[in-house]
């Protein structure tokens, strides 16, 4: 019989952190410390240092700062602006084209950076004002940026998938491969929605007037902006899928690729490099300290026997539909409050053993998890990215506009989550083919 | 007082800037190994291990910089409802928990690091068997810097909470 009190103390600590705005990294670690101190005695306290040291010696995690650096270098070399200049001309003449182009650019930026906020903030600043000026209605201009930006969780190389792979001890290569098909399905569904909507309501998303279009020759010239970032991401994924390099090494290849593309764009200089390095260090520090805190938290959670208790509870349902229903509801509720890294760190160790015991693949669960977190990010009223959007959008865009604009995309996300849940082969097809 | 605080700030700032170049070392070690292994079929025994040491130091020593720039993720749904001063008052209550965590980390990290030094612990199993103490000692070092930076933030927060004015 597990005792309930230690678990309640841990969870109470977490709630305390949510209410007081105490940084997640310190909330997780200090609730673990207090629980340990009360119930297991001070002799257990060295766990603080040993757990953190365990996180520091993870080969898999080295990929994280490298991918972040790759994205920062690409970003500083003006990739987003170049991409947008191309899409503006290539898709602008089509009704709803700018919205579609935004989804595609967000997907590419998401692939590069693996961090949701990058795409939302960049595109919110570049694309939104242009779309609004072009006469796009708010409801069809805002949604694509948010929905496209959230794809960063799923489309490889994704930082969250790396963290998931470390916790679940599954191959990062397989996870990356698994993310591709659902990512493409989502992009396709978003594009289809925009196309249908702008066909039905032409005045919501007017095509670019003739006098603003450029000749075809110039379009080819602008396409240059598309080649470099795709080549870099292609090189990264190619080396992983071909088995030449581990994901960590492929991340180093990506950094080299980003440097080369900055060189080609003539934007490689000392200031840019040091700014990119400092930015990556800040982001890595933030993520790593959450991992440190979460490592302390989960190690104490296991000690309280909370894991067994939840596993017993779930398996007690005996019906897979109920079990998955329960897990999804818990994840959706947590998703309103927690960032994705914390969520992976504290829910995966709890749920994964149950999933595996039921005979499902951890790779599939990882992809389901990310698709679901994406949906959380977009769901009103608390979705994370919605607030970032409000932060960068022009003042005439209200929170209500953002909510109305995102709803159709949330429904598409939900449909894809259910689709993945019902047909695991969709996810597993590519990883099984490649590895 | 203000001078002491700004000295602490610049220690965190510069430790962060210094450590940020480690990411290039990481990329270099890993690339070097891939190239040697793939082109010359001669993998090194030291590249991955050295990358691990550098990554450990990089990860933990980025903490003080993140603290200085308030980059640690917080869930601010409720927190943001309060005024600036209200938030400072809440911070005054939560800060001791931070000191408890980082203090313990400093103490036990130092203990574990010193033991690694005395027992000459090495990475195992590994053909290169590099010593573990340098990277283990980065934990108490980072904890020490975090304590300093935390103290500086705490003094500012207390001032704001009690007087409603910011320490400039």
């Amino acid at each position: 019989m597990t005792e309930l009190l230690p678990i309640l103390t841990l969870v109470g600590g977490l709630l305390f952190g949510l209410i007081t705005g105490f940084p997640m990294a310190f909330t997780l670690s200090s609730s673990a410390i207090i629980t340990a101190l009360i119930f297991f005695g001070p002799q257990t306290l060295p766990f603080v240092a040993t757990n953190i040291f365990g996180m520091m010696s993870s080969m898999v995690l080295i990929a994280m700062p490298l991918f972040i650096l790759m994205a920062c270098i690409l970003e500083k070399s003006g990739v987003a602006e170049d991409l947008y200049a191309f899409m503006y001309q290539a898709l602008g003449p089509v009704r709803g084209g700018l919205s579609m182009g935004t989804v595609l650019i967000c997907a590419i930026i998401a692939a590069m950076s693996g961090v949701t906020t990058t795409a939302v903030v960049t595109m919110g600043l570049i694309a939104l004002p242009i779309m609004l000026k072009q006469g796009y209605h708010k409801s069809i201009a805002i949604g694509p940026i948010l929905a496209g930006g959230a794809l960063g969780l799923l489309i490889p190389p994704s930082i969250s998938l790396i963290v998931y792979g470390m916790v679940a001890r599954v191959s990062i290569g397989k996870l990356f491969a698994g993310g591709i098909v659902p990512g493409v399905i989502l992009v396709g569904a978003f594009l289809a929605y925009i196309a249908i909507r702008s066909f039905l309501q032409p005045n919501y998303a007017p095509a670019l007037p003739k006098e603003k279009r450029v000749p075809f020759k110039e379009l080819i010239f602008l396409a240059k902006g598309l080649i470099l970032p795709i080549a870099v991401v292609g090189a990264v994924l190619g080396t992983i899928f071909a088995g030449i390099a581990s994901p960590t090494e492929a991340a180093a290849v990506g950094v080299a690729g980003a440097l080369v593309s900055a060189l080609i764009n003539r934007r490689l200089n000392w200031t840019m490099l040091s700014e990119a390095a400092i930015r990556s260090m800040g982001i890595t520090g933030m993520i790593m300290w959450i991992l440190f805190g979460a490592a302390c938290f989960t190690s104490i959670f296991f000690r309280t026997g909370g894991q067994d208790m939840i596993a017993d509870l779930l398996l007690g349902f005996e019906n897979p539909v109920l079990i998955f229903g329960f897990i999804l509801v818990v994840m959706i509720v947590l998703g309103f409050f927690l960032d994705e890294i914390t969520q992976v760190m504290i829910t995966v160790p709890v749920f994964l053993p149950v999933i595996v015991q039921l005979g499902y693949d951890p790779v599939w669960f990882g992809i389901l998890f990310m698709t679901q977190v994406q949906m959380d990010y977009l769901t009103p009223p608390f979705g994370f990215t919605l607030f970032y959007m409000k932060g960068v959008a022009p003042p005439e865009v209200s929170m209500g506009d953002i909510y109305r604009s995102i709803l159709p995309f949330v429904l598409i996300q939900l449909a894809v989550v259910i689709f993945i849940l019902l047909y695991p082969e969709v996810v597993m097809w590519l990883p099984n083919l490649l590895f | 007082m203000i001078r002491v605080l700004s000295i602490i700030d610049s220690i965190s700032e510069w430790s962060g800037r210094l450590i940020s170049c480690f990411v290039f070392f990481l990329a270099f070690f890993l690339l070097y190994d891939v190239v040697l292994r793939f082109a010359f079929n001669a993998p090194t025994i030291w590249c991955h291990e050295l990358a691990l040491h550098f990554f450990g130091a990089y990860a933990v020593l980025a903490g003080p910089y993140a603290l200085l720039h308030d980059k640690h993720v917080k869930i601010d749904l409720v927190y943001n409802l309060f005024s600036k001063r209200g938030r400072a008052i809440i911070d005054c209550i939560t800060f001791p928990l931070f000191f408890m965590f980082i203090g313990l980390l400093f103490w036990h990290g130092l203990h574990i690091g010193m033991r690694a030094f005395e027992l000459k612990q090495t990475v195992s199993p590994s053909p290169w068997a590099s010593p573990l103490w340098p990277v283990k000692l980065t934990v108490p070092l980072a904890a020490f810097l975090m304590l300093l930076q935390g103290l500086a933030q705490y003094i500012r927060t207390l001032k704001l909470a009690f007087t409603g004015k910011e320490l400039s």
Side-chain angles (χ1 to χ4, degrees):
Chain A
M1 182 61 201
T2 38
E3 292 204 37
L4 215 52
L5 213 54
I7 301 173
L8 288 179
T9 318
L10 263 183
V11 176
L14 197 58
L15 283 177
F16 176 76
L18 291 179
I19 295 166
T20 54
F22 192 40
M24 237 30 236
F26 311 135
T27 302
L28 290 165
S29 48
S30 41
S31 36
I33 290 169
I34 287 174
T35 312
L37 206 55
I38 299 175
F39 299 100
F40 308 120
Q43 77 282 358
T44 55
L45 285 178
F47 84 91
V48 181
T50 48
N51 275 313
I52 287 178
F53 192 70
M55 278 290 152
M56 285 161 63
S57 33
S58 157
M59 198 67 207
V60 171
L61 286 180
I62 301 182
M64 190 176 65
L66 294 175
F67 277 132
I68 296 174
L69 178 68
M70 173 184 99
C72 286
I73 294 176
L74 284 174
E75 191 194 316
K76 298 257 178 214
S77 54
V79 161
E81 286 86 356
D82 289 352
L83 280 175
Y84 197 75
F86 172 69
M87 288 296 179
Y88 184 77
Q89 288 301 337
L91 292 172
V94 188
R95 264 191 224 156
L98 292 184
S99 292
M100 293 188 221
T102 304
V103 170
L104 290 172
I105 297 174
C106 282
I108 297 171
I109 296 184
M112 282 166 17
S113 66
V115 189
T116 314
T117 49
T118 321
V120 172
V121 171
T122 343
M123 292 313 284
L125 286 171
I126 305 174
L128 188 58
I130 297 181
M131 277 194 274
L132 294 178
K133 214 168 85 189
Q134 205 63 139
Y136 274 54
H137 193 266
K138 282 177 206 158
S139 70
I140 207 161
I142 301 168
I145 300 179
L146 293 166
L151 288 169
L153 291 165
L154 192 60
I155 296 185
S158 142
I159 304 295
S160 317
L161 279 179
I162 294 175
V163 174
Y164 177 87
M166 180 204 61
V167 182
R169 294 175 195 282
V170 289
S171 140
I172 308 284
K174 277 190 178 181
L175 284 170
F176 281 3
I180 291 180
V181 175
V184 170
I185 293 178
L186 278 169
V187 171
F190 293 158
L191 292 183
Y193 160 74
I194 296 168
I196 294 170
R197 178 101 192 259
S198 38
F199 178 74
L200 295 176
Q201 294 170 306
N203 52 337
Y204 270 41
L208 207 58
K210 283 242 161 46
E211 65 272 14
K212 283 204 178 167
R213 300 179 195 174
V214 294
F216 189 68
K217 228 167 98 188
E218 213 160 307
L219 190 66
I220 300 289
F221 181 72
L222 284 171
K224 182 169 69 80
L226 196 63
I227 296 166
L228 285 172
I230 290 185
V232 172
V233 174
V236 170
L237 295 182
T239 46
I240 299 176
F241 294 157
I244 296 172
S246 71
T248 306
E249 292 164 341
V253 173
V255 171
L259 287 173
V260 170
S261 89
L263 190 68
I264 294 174
N265 282 339
R266 293 162 195 255
R267 279 168 183 144
L268 189 66
N269 59 53
W270 190 244
T271 333
M272 187 271 268
L273 270 187
S274 85
E275 271 174 24
I278 287 172
R279 229 176 92 88
S280 340
M281 185 265 304
I283 300 175
T284 311
M286 179 266 281
I287 297 179
M288 282 307 294
W289 278 84
I290 295 181
L291 295 185
F292 293 160
C296 297
F297 187 86
T298 38
S299 84
I300 290 301
F301 187 70
F302 280 130
R303 228 192 132 108
T304 59
Q307 209 283 321
D308 300 325
M309 197 182 78
I310 291 178
D312 287 346
L313 172 78
L314 282 177
L315 291 172
F317 288 153
E318 280 177 356
N319 178 348
V321 177
L322 273 181
I323 296 176
F324 276 109
F326 181 83
I327 291 177
L328 277 183
V329 169
V330 170
M331 291 202 300
I332 288 173
V333 171
L334 283 178
F336 286 152
F337 305 104
L338 299 178
D339 60 284
E340 79 274 19
I341 307 283
T342 313
Q343 221 190 335
V344 170
M345 287 297 291
I346 68 179
T347 54
V348 170
V350 176
F351 289 145
L352 195 64
V354 181
I355 306 274
V356 172
Q357 208 171 332
L358 287 171
Y360 289 93
D361 197 301
V363 172
W364 166 78
F365 185 64
I367 302 302
L368 178 73
F369 194 102
M370 290 312 155
T371 324
Q372 191 280 127
V373 175
Q374 269 184 26
M375 190 177 73
D376 284 347
Y377 269 23
L378 302 175
T379 307
F382 294 135
F384 267 63
T385 54
L386 306 175
F387 294 102
Y388 283 111
M389 190 69 203
K390 181 77 184 103
V392 296
E396 71 264 25
V397 174
S398 75
M399 212 62 204
D401 290 330
I402 298 180
Y403 287 167
R404 269 191 298 282
S405 179
I406 197 61
L407 258 180
F409 292 93
V410 174
L411 294 178
I412 294 174
Q413 277 275 355
L414 181 66
V416 173
V417 169
I418 294 171
F419 186 61
I420 293 175
L421 194 59
L422 296 180
Y423 302 99
E425 315 88 73
V426 177
V427 175
M428 297 311 297
W429 172 74
L430 196 60
N432 288 338
L433 193 75
L434 286 171
F435 293 97
Chain B
M1 180 54 113
I2 292 169
R3 268 207 48 207
V4 175
L5 294 188
S6 69
I7 289 173
I8 293 178
D9 282 356
S10 53
I11 291 175
S12 301
E13 180 71 35
W14 283 101
S15 71
R17 287 179 174 234
L18 203 64
I19 207 80
S20 73
C21 68
F22 272 33
V23 73
F24 293 110
F25 288 105
L26 287 176
F28 174 74
F29 295 147
L30 293 166
L31 252 142
Y32 186 73
D33 192 62
V34 175
V35 171
L36 279 188
R37 189 179 61 211
F38 197 67
F40 305 100
N41 199 17
T44 62
I45 58 166
W46 54 271
C47 271
H48 279 101
E49 218 167 292
L50 203 56
L52 264 179
H53 291 316
F54 271 78
F55 173 69
Y58 179 73
V60 78
L61 284 169
Y65 180 89
L67 189 64
L68 169 69
H69 291 274
D70 203 14
K71 287 219 166 151
H72 289 291
V73 176
K74 42 180 92 162
I75 311 300
D76 45 15
L77 279 176
V78 182
Y79 186 67
N80 270 351
L81 299 177
F82 292 91
S83 67
K84 216 165 179 189
R85 188 169 178 186
R87 275 178 275 176
I89 292 170
I90 296 174
D91 287 344
C92 286
I93 303 164
T94 53
F95 244 111
L97 292 169
F98 165 82
F99 288 120
M100 177 187 73
F101 165 49
I102 303 293
L104 279 171
L105 187 60
F106 175 71
W107 179 247
H108 292 293
L110 192 65
H111 195 73
I112 288 171
M114 292 310 280
R115 205 174 54 202
F117 182 71
E118 280 157 13
L119 300 177
K120 300 191 172 55
Q121 285 175 349
T122 55
V123 179
S124 76
S126 147
W128 190 40
S130 51
L132 265 175
W133 63 266
V135 61
K136 285 206 170 175
L137 281 177
T138 58
V139 175
L141 174 64
F144 176 71
L145 293 174
M146 298 261 294
L147 281 178
L148 268 186
Q149 186 59 46
L151 200 64
Q153 314 285 73
Y154 196 38
I155 291 170
R156 290 195 179 103
T157 314
L158 281 174
K159 163 95 178 163
L160 181 60
F162 279 102
T163 64
K165 278 188 228 107
E166 279 184 66
L167 202 62
S168 51

